[in-house]
Amino acid sequence: MSDSWFTTSTVTCPACGARQEEEMPGQLWALTCKACGHVMHPPKGECCVFCAYGDVPCPDSQIGRSCSCGAEEG
């Protein structure tokens, strides 16, 4: 098993469909779309914006840990 993970994710805006590449910090509960200005929040049951709208989930989810990047808000 590898100890490496992806640190960027391409996030797709649910409002306009625009895609933007983002670095994945430890926590991200909101992200503003650069195309339309919509503020993305993870829907209930999703841990963070990356897991909800990204093509790659957050690092904690990638390595099989309990995701701590947004669960507190859900």
Side-chain angles (χ1 to χ4, degrees):
M1 181 162 149
S2 175
D3 286 337
S4 64
W5 54 85
F6 294 97
T7 59
T8 60
S9 182
T10 301
V11 178
T12 302
C13 176
C16 73
R19 296 166 51 91
Q20 60 194 53
E21 188 170 303
E22 296 290 333
E23 290 290 322
M24 288 192 275
Q27 299 183 339
L28 190 62
W29 297 321
L31 177 67
T32 301
C33 176
K34 294 175 184 172
C36 74
H38 174 75
V39 179
M40 296 173 257
H41 296 279
K44 188 169 184 152
E46 291 285 349
C47 71
C48 65
V49 171
F50 296 119
C51 291
Y53 305 115
D55 64 345
V56 175
C58 69
D60 281 349
S61 291
Q62 289 179 52
I63 59 176
R65 289 191 198 154
S66 175
C67 179
S68 62
C69 59
E72 297 87 1
E73 296 292 305

